[in-house]
Amino acid sequence: MHRTTFHYSVPAKPPNSASGHGIDVERTFEVLFEEDETGWFTASVPALPGCHTQGRTLAQAKQRIQEALQAYLTVRPDAPVHTRFVGIDRVSVSV
């Protein structure tokens, strides 16, 4: 299991008619990467419900989650972030 933080800029406001440019802001998200039983890597952003992707390699999953974040925030630029990363732990249970 891998944990990484992506930093990138997305348009915070739609372009205005005068300059054609939006205002860029940087938003930071925690991204959870896991390798499934078939060897694919899944990536999800806990702060953004439904923001998930996968890739055959970790590098591909990282590229695709950046694309997923860009798409998500293009549709919902003011999406609230309600989580704060605390940590990851491993828990065992008997079944």
Side-chain angles (χ1 to χ4, degrees):
M1 189 179 313
H2 306 275
R3 179 184 153 289
T4 190
T5 304
F6 282 115
H7 301 276
Y8 72 102
S9 296
V10 296
K13 296 182 180 177
N16 64 38
S17 57
S19 70
H21 299 290
I23 298 171
D24 286 345
V25 295
E26 185 173 271
R27 297 192 55 192
T28 302
F29 297 92
E30 301 296 329
V31 179
L32 179 64
F33 292 94
E34 297 178 284
E35 185 176 8
D36 71 15
E37 65 279 353
T38 64
W40 280 74
F41 291 87
T42 61
S44 53
V45 182
L48 302 176
C51 191
H52 310 282
T53 193
Q54 64 181 7
R56 257 210 205 276
T57 65
L58 183 57
Q60 186 180 46
K62 286 181 178 183
Q63 177 187 348
R64 287 181 173 179
I65 199 63
Q66 285 181 313
E67 293 166 357
L69 279 163
Q70 190 77 36
Y72 193 105
L73 294 171
T74 298
V75 175
R76 297 195 55 207
D78 297 326
V81 178
H82 297 290
T83 63
R84 178 179 65 87
F85 182 79
V86 176
I88 297 174
D89 201 352
R90 195 174 292 262
V91 178
S92 298
V93 296
S94 296
V95 292

